[in-house]
Each structure stands twice: as C-alpha cells, then as structure tokens.
Amino acid sequence: MTARRKPRLLIIYTGGTIGMIENPETHALQPFDFSHLIDNVPKIKMLDYHIDNIQFTPIDSSDMNPSGWAEISNAIASHYDEYDGFVVLHGTDTMAYTASALSFMLGNLHKPVIITGSQLPIGEVRTDGEENLITALQIAAATTFDGSPMVQEVAILFENYLWRGNRSTKMSADNFNAFKSNNYPQLAKIGLGIHFSEEALWRPKAKTPLQLNTRMDSNVMFIELYPGMTQQTLRYLLNAPGVKGIVLRTYGAGNAPTAGWFIEEIAQAVQRGVVIVNVTQCVNGGVHHRRYVAGDKLANAGVISGHDMTSEAAITKLMYLFGLGLTPSAVATRLNTDLCGEVTL
Ligand code: ASP
C-alpha cells in the first residue's frame, strides 16, 4: 500500500480583522503581519498538511480593489499546479466582492479557493479566527472518493457554513455567522463534522486548463432606487463620466417607478450604450421583469434582468465582462449566461 500524500495548501494572507491587533493609543484595530497570526494558531501544526504561505501588505478590506483581486488571482494561478488548494485570509467587509471577482477571474477553476477571515482578531481569547482558519484548511484539503478536490470553486467559509463565493453577502457586522447566500443552498454545514452538500457544489464541465483573466473595467456603478429620487438626480447618475455599466438596485421583483420621465431617462442611457442590469434590493429572491408593469417597462427600455444575482456578483461580473473588451451587446448577452454558478436562469 502506498502512503497517502500530504495535502499541499497555500495560504494567501491579505489582511482583515483576523490578523489585526489593537493600536495601543487609539484602541482601533489595525492590520498586522502574518507571523503573528500563525503564532496564535499553534493547532495548525496538528494538521498533517504541507502548508506554505504568501503574505501581502495587510490591509483593511475596505481598501481592496481590482488590483488586489488581480494580485490574489495571479498568486493562485502562478502556484496552481503546486498546491491542492488555496486559503485566502481576507477582511469580511468586502469579502463577498472579492469572492465574486475571483470566481470570474479564475476561469475553469478545478481546485478549492476558500476565503475566510474573522469577526474578532486571532489574538483575542474568544476569537472565531482560529476555528475559521483550521476549518478552511480542512475544506481545502477535502477530496471525493476518487481523490479529486471536493470543492472546485471559490467559496467563503465562515463559522458554521461554506457558501458559494459569488452567491454570498455579508449579512452581519456583529454575528460570528456573518455570511449567507440568500438564493443558493450552503455548500457545507460545519458542526461536529464538515458535511458537504455534494449536489450544491459546482462541477466544471470539462477538464480544461485554468484560464486567468485579471483585467477588470471599473467604469461601472450602482444606482440605488428610493422613493423620491428626482429626475435631475437620476439623469446626473446615468450620465456619470465614462460609465459603461450600471447595476440598478430596484424594488421587490425588479420594479421601478413607471413615470414617463423615469423610463425615458433609462431608455436614453441604454441607447447611449450603457448596459443596465436590474438587481433587487431584497435580500432573497430575484428579478421577474414581466410580473408587474413596473418591471415590464424597465425591460422594454432595454434593462437586462440580473435574475437572482447578488449585487456583489452583478457589479464584478460587469467589471469582468467589460474588462474582456466586449461590446455592450455582447456584455448584455453574457450577463444572461451562468458563467460559474453565480445566477439561476
Ligand atoms: N474592516 C475589516 C475588514 O474588512 C472587517 C473584518 O475583517 O471583519 O478588513
């Protein structure tokens, strides 16, 4: 019998609360270095894994941006063949945006990219960081009966659940169970054991090589509807300089004001070549353009349905598609395609 090869994992540390310490003067949390983090998790040595790490200059994830996503994706792509799985330590504030962006940038992913962090720094007595890090490593090392990776996608591990990255949203600034995927089931439930929901896991269609695309076009924005928005404000937002794509955050099943001026402003923006994708402000459910007149008018004006996509997935998908250099009509078509499990069509 041949001995089982030790799983080889790469930890990529980008910052976030998990590695922060308190500033002695201001008492505010600030990023700290990775060796401090690892020193606080001696249990890692109990895992029979080969673990390497890469440390970026640690940041609060409020400072994360497309160059940071490219840096993480490049690190994964350039070490892709050397490791069985990757664990990205990241702040929680923009974790769902990073998870969505990485899912698009790392095309044809066949290995686990598990993103985690914590609500309390790893040096604190009641920290959730130690458990999250250990569990993320175990998930990254998990295999199916035939030895292939159990997880073959970008996922967020937080407290009791593993969620698909591009379906996740930060739901709480205070609870340990801070993330949720409101429109897609959990990929695993973490209790005494790690119970994978195999039917929910993404399975890439063909065994094609990793396809890295790190160019994101940031000429995109959100427009959040609220009762009382004036024509002047809407026109100003729709005419933002250089804007190519807009995620319109609408009411309920994708509804917006039916007033003539509103629809006219939207239709004019679409005619100028701005791609507008409709995503609901509701945390659960999606856009159904034909359910109400208030949604039907948007569809007739040329707005694309975002179906049940999260706002984080919709905005990063727009950045990614425009980053590929596609025309507005090609972007609109690809928005209606499920690229990596981000949308139910
Ligand atoms: N502000 C922190 C960050 O996102 C919050 C956290 O990590 O929980 O980096």
Side-chain angles (χ1 to χ4, degrees), residues 15-18 20 59-62 90-94 118-119 170:
T17 299
I18 192 164
M20 289 187 185
I59 55 167
D60 186 297
S61 75
S62 316
H90 194 288
T92 57
D93 290 346
T94 62
S118 68
Q119 295 279 52
K170 182 173 179 182

Side-chain angles (χ1 to χ4, degrees), residues 24 124 147 182 230 270 345:
E124 288 208 11
N182 290 295
T230 64
V270 173
L345 295 172

Side-chain angles (χ1 to χ4, degrees), residues 9 86-87 89 114-116 131-141 157:
L9 304 178
F86 303 85
V87 170
L89 300 179
I114 312 299
I115 311 183
T116 195
E131 201 179 298
N132 284 348
L133 173 54
I134 300 271
T135 310
L137 288 165
Q138 290 183 317
I139 289 172
L157 176 277

